[in-house]
Amino acid sequence: MSKALGYAARDAATPLGPFHFERRALRPDDVRLDIRYCGICHTDLHLARNDWGVTVYPCCPGHEIVGRVAEVGPAVRKFKVGDTAAIGCLVDSCGTCDQCQRGEQQFCRKGYTLTYNGKDLPTGDITYGGYSDHIVAREAFVLRVPDKLDLARAAPLLCAGITVYSPLRKHQAGQGTRLGVAGLGGLGHMGVKLGVAMGCEVTVITSSESKRADALALGAHRVLLSSDKEAVAAAASKLDLILDTIPVTHDLEPLLNLLDVEGTLVIVGAIAPMPGYHTRSLLRGRRSISASPIGGIAQTQALLDFCAEKGVLPDCEMIPVQEVNHAFARMEKADVKYRFVIDMASLR
Ligand SMILES: [Zn+2]
Ligand SMILES: [Zn+2]
């Protein structure tokens, strides 16, 4: 066992504060990572406050983790001490079911282990995340961080990045794909950057005129203001794929009408009931509605490699861990461009 220091929520109402706990002793295929940076995801806020009714306290969040390998178990092959490495949303899965076999650990039939608020498979112990000084995880769930990737900005790729990268690959986004990105927050800004890097023609769909300049600065080719009726009518059937990153319940119909024949709307932002839509919006053009969570481990590695090669990095606002509660409050007002990252050196 090793003594760890983190930041955790003790209950749903109390702000996060310092938390002393123990990490497990290394198993043969374990890696210990000293954490340098951890991104703040909306999930962290929801789980810290028990918004979904599944939180086990104390809750030490964080699943956008980058750092340096500090120790490896005797069976570890991929990593050595000093390597730069990362951990995302998952730290384990059964490894034997059909979904694990095809590299889609996020769909493991027997249940995966979340990086925090999950259950360690061998012991049932609750897992603690990246708002901490170090973490221990199986080598198979630890990712290589290419040298070219700026470590201070790489963390949000581990959740926000893979959440939009996975459907872009699934739907074969590439040169000339007419991609719509609805919403311009943490996920949306990654959707724009990755879409542009893949050669897509990117349209940002937003309700807020104030985001126009930001969208264009991120590389979007055009901006569609959802309140501009004329522009919306002119944009009908002009998109092949839409990443819907809007984080709350919203009407899908206006987005469906922007899709061309065989177009797909992929929901990645909201975990919420959606109002109904007329099936005519799908029938006319054999359009589809889909939804997508994170990606598997191999695909997350492919994302890190792609971002290193193409120079794609999230826009981050670095904070010390002591400001995490303030950051949560600002996230609730969508007051961040576009992802908070905690500098874990602030912990000591
Ligand atoms: Zn997340
Ligand atoms: Zn499995």
Side-chain angles (χ1 to χ4, degrees), residues 98-177:
D98 60 333
Q99 296 306 312
C100 286
Q101 289 288 315
R102 69 184 192 118
E104 303 271 25
Q105 293 86 356
Q106 74 279 22
F107 302 134
C108 175
R109 306 274 185 195
K110 295 180 190 162
Y112 43 69
T113 301
L114 292 169
T115 301
Y116 70 94
N117 205 58
K119 267 193 187 151
D120 179 52
L121 289 177
T123 62
D125 291 344
I126 298 298
T127 54
Y128 297 125
Y131 296 7
S132 58
D133 56 1
H134 71 281
I135 187 166
V136 174
R138 287 186 60 205
E139 162 181 46
F141 287 77
V142 180
L143 301 140
R144 283 175 284 103
V145 177
D147 290 339
K148 274 199 268 177
L149 214 52
D150 177 358
L151 202 59
R153 291 173 65 188
L157 297 174
L158 279 307
C159 178
I162 186 62
T163 298
V164 290
Y165 182 82
S166 187
L168 286 171
R169 287 298 190 217
K170 166 80 183 165
H171 298 283
Q172 291 161 5
Q175 205 64 43
T177 299

Side-chain angles (χ1 to χ4, degrees), residues 2 7 14 26 47 54 120 207 230 305:
S2 53
Y7 245 58
T14 314
L26 263 62
L47 282 172
V54 297
D120 179 52
S207 59
E230 258 175 50
D305 296 345

Side-chain angles (χ1 to χ4, degrees), residues 250-259 265 275-282 284 287 289:
H250 58 280
D251 192 2
L252 298 179
E253 198 117 14
L255 294 175
L256 291 174
N257 288 323
L258 300 175
L259 290 171
L265 173 75
Y277 51 86
H278 202 296
T279 55
R280 192 194 309 116
S281 302
L282 295 179
R284 266 193 327 216
R287 296 155 168 159
I289 298 176

Side-chain angles (χ1 to χ4, degrees), residues 184-222:
L184 196 64
L187 292 175
H189 103 289
M190 280 315 303
V192 172
K193 290 192 180 210
L194 287 167
V196 169
M198 289 175 185
C200 303
E201 207 182 288
V202 179
T203 301
V204 166
I205 305 152
T206 175
S207 59
S208 153
E209 173 63 31
S210 65
K211 294 202 171 161
R212 182 184 297 274
D214 292 341
L216 297 173
L218 290 168
H221 300 91
R222 60 186 69 83

Side-chain angles (χ1 to χ4, degrees), residues 41 43 63 159 339:
C41 174
T43 300
H63 59 202
C159 178
R339 203 72 157 175

